[in-house]
Amino acid sequence: MKVIITYGTFDLIHTGHINLLRRAKKLGDHLIVGLSTDQFNSLKGKKAYYSFEQRKSVLEAIRYVDEVIPENTWEQKIQDVQKHNVDVFVMGDDWEGKFDFLQDHCEIVYLPRTVGISTTKIKTDLNQANNG
Ligand code: C2G
């Protein structure tokens, strides 16, 4: 069984996330998502709209996602890859090169981001719509 892993906040799920998850799943048989906890998000300087539990239940409802584990630190990736026998690590290419330290442990694939959509854009557009 070919195991794939990817990581992220996945807040306000949108087609950019779905495109990433679909392409990641297509690379193997079992897709694990390392979902950023609320504490880790503050380390990333991010504040998710939805809590970890809410974002987790949304992800678990997506057909491409087989398993969700918490992402608490930057450093846990190597142990995650070993613990879950991961074959391929996948991220959007805004992270190109940032995780190449994993190359001794698994294949690394950076996929093109979906252009024109992001959680930040959703929040900005909604704020502008509501504030006239
Ligand atoms: N993504 C994408 N296209 C978009 C938006 C996001 O392909 N338009 C991808 C990102 O490249 C990432 C995944 O969707 O691979 C999740 O995006 P975020 O939730 O923004 O995750 P991020 O904050 O980048 O956290 O340790 C890694 C970090 O946890 C990644």
Side-chain angles (χ1 to χ4, degrees):
M1 180 176 78
K2 198 168 181 188
V3 179
I4 317 292
I5 198 165
T6 189
Y7 292 82
T9 301
F10 294 99
D11 193 27
L12 302 177
I13 282 284
H14 52 67
T15 47
H17 297 133
I18 298 299
N19 291 340
L20 189 284
L21 295 169
R22 179 179 52 250
R23 287 175 293 166
K25 178 62 185 279
K26 219 173 252 161
L27 296 172
D29 310 292
H30 185 85
L31 175 60
I32 302 169
V33 177
L35 183 62
S36 308
T37 59
D38 297 329
Q39 296 78 359
F40 184 55
N41 270 330
S42 50
L43 272 184
K44 286 197 286 187
K46 275 188 148 181
K47 173 107 181 63
Y49 178 78
Y50 285 125
S51 69
F52 174 81
E53 284 310 321
Q54 289 172 307
R55 290 181 283 117
K56 181 170 183 282
S57 55
V58 170
L59 273 181
E60 286 172 341
I62 295 172
R63 66 177 62 194
Y64 308 117
V65 177
D66 297 291
E67 186 178 355
V68 179
I69 64 173
E71 179 186 32
N72 292 296
T73 67
W74 291 110
E75 296 77 23
Q76 72 182 72
K77 293 183 175 66
I78 293 181
Q79 70 191 74
D80 286 348
V81 166
Q82 290 167 334
K83 183 176 160 192
H84 296 277
N85 302 310
V86 169
D87 299 290
V88 188
F89 168 89
V90 177
M91 286 303 291
D93 62 5
D94 48 314
W95 292 95
E96 182 91 36
K98 297 287 188 307
F99 299 109
D100 290 356
F101 62 86
L102 289 169
Q103 62 202 4
D104 301 340
H105 305 276
C106 61
E107 192 189 331
I108 299 170
V109 173
Y110 296 108
L111 296 172
R113 274 176 73 92
T114 301
V115 175
I117 192 161
S118 69
T119 306
T120 308
K121 183 175 180 344
I122 293 167
K123 289 176 179 174
T124 310
D125 291 357
L126 284 174
N127 282 333
Q128 273 159 7
N130 291 334
N131 299 337

